[in-house]
């Protein structure tokens, strides 16, 4: 650790985050490097970092790489202390070629991005209802994936099962197959192939049942939390619990960090990007970036409205008559839906305190 006394006001920190430790670099207001510190990812380490930085002068701002993953704990701590925190992207390859690659170098690049004003994104809050929804939804997704794997394994076991067992179970739907197989009684110690196959089928079927119960419990909690967090959002045409959860998670617990509805549309990958070059006419292309899950939610809402909403169907007919393709119409609808959703999210942030507030 290298320390240089300074009288320059305003200290800027850059932090390169990892699972078990973080590396921080401090810069003064003139961009001079003041020191480097490595801390453990625990509250004692965060307190040590704050004390170390304040030793140079008043801590002005911090740039953190990975505020939503390894840097989530440090971000929460610093924001609770009233420090301005900015989310910093990973260094570009051309910058790495020029300056090299190491933890202190990455931390310094993060600090310089904040000091130069190129890192302006505010991290999401992770202490409210949306964070609760995110954690439950991640667990539900893994349970759904495991249940699908159980169904595939159940059907694969039937392919090589003895003929008599295959004939008995052939043609059954998944629900009937699971119900029938879960009641098998092959005995505690299978003595032949058929008994062992029944034992395996029963084990997988009961796993499927347990996962179904887990998914139902998670669905119940998600329905409650989403309805409490954004009742106006769920009330929109074509918006259900899953799509509302995707949009809420994309915006975070502090959607006011998004400047306007155009910023939210870009976040969701629903804003077309200009793609005119040279003498070509003005055109736009699809935005492949942004939160892909939120983009999927906008797509699902657009499809639902195209089927059931009379106003949307009228709009689709009008744009089709103008020569627009179905894909182009869906892109337009996604942009309109993003605007509608943003207005609701922006209004929710006005009077919705953090769930941890007294």
């Amino acid at each position: 650790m290298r320390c240089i006394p300074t009288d320059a006001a305003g200290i800027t920190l850059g932090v390169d985050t990892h699972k078990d430790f973080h590396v921080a670099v401090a810069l003064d207001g003139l961009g001079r490097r003041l020191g480097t510190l490595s801390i453990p990812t625990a509250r004692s380490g965060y307190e040590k970092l704050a004390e170390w930085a304040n030793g140079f002068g008043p801590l002005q701002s911090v740039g953190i790489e990975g505020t939503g993953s390894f840097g989530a704990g440090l971000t929460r701590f610093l924001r609770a202390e009233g420090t301005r925190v900015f989310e910093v992207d990973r260094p570009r390859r051309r910058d790495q070629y020029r300056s090299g690659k190491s933890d202190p170098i990455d931390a310094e690049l993060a600090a310089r991005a904040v000091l130069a004003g190129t890192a302006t994104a505010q991290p999401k809050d992770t202490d409210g209802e949306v964070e609760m929804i995110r954690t439950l939804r991640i667990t539900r997704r893994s349970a759904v994936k495991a249940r699908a794997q159980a169904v595939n394994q159940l059907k694969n076991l039937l392919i090589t099962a003895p003929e008599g067992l295959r004939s008995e179970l052939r043609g059954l739907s998944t629900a009937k197959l699971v119900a029938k197989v879960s009641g098998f009684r092959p005995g505690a110690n299978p003595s032949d192939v058929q008994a062992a196959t029944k034992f395996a089928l029963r084990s997988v079927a009961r796993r499927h049942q347990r996962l179904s119960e887990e998914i139902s419990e998670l669905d119940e909690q998600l329905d409650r939390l989403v309805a409490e967090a954004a009742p106006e959002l769920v009330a929109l045409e074509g918006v259900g619990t899953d799509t509302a959860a995707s949009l809420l998670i994309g915006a975070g617990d502090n959607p006011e960090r998004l400047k306007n509805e155009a910023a939210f549309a870009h976040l969701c990958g629903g804003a077309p990007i200009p793609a005119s070059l040279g003498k070509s006419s003005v055109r736009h292309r699809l935005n492949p970036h942004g939160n892909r899950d939120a983009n999927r939610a906008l797509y699902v809402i657009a499809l639902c409205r195209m089927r059931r909403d009379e106003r949307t169907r009228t709009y689709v007919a009008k744009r089709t008559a103008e020569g627009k393709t179905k894909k182009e119409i869906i892109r337009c609808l996604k942009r309109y839906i993003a605007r509608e959703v943003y207005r609701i999210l922006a209004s929710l942030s006005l009077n919705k305190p953090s769930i941890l507030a007294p």
Side-chain angles (χ1 to χ4, degrees):
M1 183 177 65
R2 181 170 60 93
C3 296
I4 301 174
T6 179
D7 55 359
I11 301 301
T12 302
L13 284 185
V15 183
D16 185 36
T17 59
H18 299 275
K19 180 180 179 180
D20 299 317
F21 68 95
H22 299 330
V23 176
V25 168
L27 303 179
D28 64 10
L30 301 177
R32 295 177 296 183
R33 182 168 174 168
L34 305 177
T36 305
L37 180 68
S38 178
I39 59 169
T41 54
R43 185 174 182 84
S44 59
Y46 305 153
E47 292 174 347
K48 180 181 178 182
L49 176 63
E51 182 181 0
W52 172 76
N54 287 319
F56 296 113
L59 182 57
Q60 183 175 3
S61 55
V62 181
I64 299 178
E65 181 182 328
T67 58
S69 54
F70 292 143
L74 178 60
T75 302
R76 280 194 295 266
F77 173 83
L78 291 172
R79 298 187 76 171
E81 295 292 319
T83 304
R84 290 194 306 167
V85 179
F86 297 95
E87 186 172 356
V88 179
D89 295 331
R90 294 179 59 185
R92 293 175 295 183
R93 287 191 175 183
R94 67 179 185 182
D95 294 332
Q96 293 177 355
Y97 291 149
R98 181 169 59 250
S99 58
K101 170 70 175 173
S102 70
D103 294 338
I105 291 175
D106 289 347
E108 183 174 349
L109 289 175
R112 295 196 181 280
V114 174
L115 199 61
T118 58
T120 59
Q122 297 183 29
K124 296 179 183 177
D125 284 346
T126 55
D127 56 357
E129 288 177 317
V130 175
E131 180 64 12
M132 296 168 62
I133 292 170
R134 189 188 70 84
T135 55
L136 292 176
R137 195 158 177 268
I138 288 174
T139 306
R140 183 189 183 279
R141 278 189 169 184
S142 65
V144 170
K145 184 177 180 180
R147 186 175 65 175
Q149 291 174 339
V151 172
N152 292 335
Q153 189 174 15
L154 196 64
K155 294 182 178 180
N156 288 336
L157 284 171
L158 285 178
I159 294 175
T160 56
E163 188 57 36
L165 192 58
R166 289 182 60 193
S167 301
E168 180 184 356
L169 302 175
R170 182 176 295 162
L172 295 179
S173 65
T174 300
K176 292 181 178 179
L177 178 63
V178 170
K180 185 176 182 62
V181 169
S182 62
F184 279 167
R185 297 181 179 275
N189 299 304
S191 57
D192 55 25
V193 174
Q194 179 155 325
T197 304
K198 285 187 174 182
F199 194 97
L201 289 170
R202 185 184 68 176
S203 176
V204 177
R206 292 181 175 179
R207 183 191 311 163
H208 182 280
Q209 291 176 332
R210 290 193 297 270
L211 288 168
S212 296
E213 294 174 0
E214 180 182 341
I215 293 170
S216 297
E217 293 176 354
L218 291 167
D219 283 338
E220 182 180 351
Q221 296 299 323
L222 284 169
D223 289 340
R224 177 183 62 84
L225 286 171
V226 171
E228 291 177 356
E232 298 91 344
L233 184 59
V234 181
L236 287 179
E237 177 67 33
V239 179
T241 298
D242 184 66
T243 50
S246 296
L247 296 170
L248 285 169
I249 292 169
D253 275 303
N254 52 336
E256 65 275 5
R257 69 194 179 92
L258 302 170
K259 297 179 181 179
N260 48 46
E261 52 90 12
F264 177 70
H266 274 285
L267 174 67
C268 298
I273 299 176
S276 301
L277 296 175
K279 296 182 180 180
S280 62
S281 60
V282 177
R283 69 182 184 89
H284 294 78
R285 65 177 177 84
L286 183 66
N287 186 352
H289 306 291
N291 187 311
R292 304 318 298 169
D293 189 51
N295 186 276
R296 177 200 62 83
L298 295 178
Y299 180 79
V300 170
I301 296 170
L303 290 184
C304 290
R305 291 187 176 186
M306 290 171 69
R307 296 191 189 103
R308 299 182 302 192
D309 184 52
E310 189 61 33
R311 183 183 62 170
T312 303
R313 295 175 67 179
T314 302
Y315 173 81
V316 171
K318 175 185 175 183
R319 301 296 276 181
T320 302
E322 295 175 356
K324 294 285 187 181
T325 65
K326 183 178 179 180
K327 286 185 177 181
E328 291 172 336
I329 294 171
I330 291 176
R331 292 175 192 173
C332 296
L333 286 173
K334 284 162 63 177
R335 184 65 178 84
Y336 291 136
I337 294 168
R339 179 181 297 124
E340 188 177 11
V341 169
Y342 173 79
R343 290 170 181 168
I344 293 177
L345 294 177
S347 66
L348 290 176
S349 66
L350 297 177
N351 299 312
K352 186 173 77 68
S354 170
I355 198 170
L356 297 181

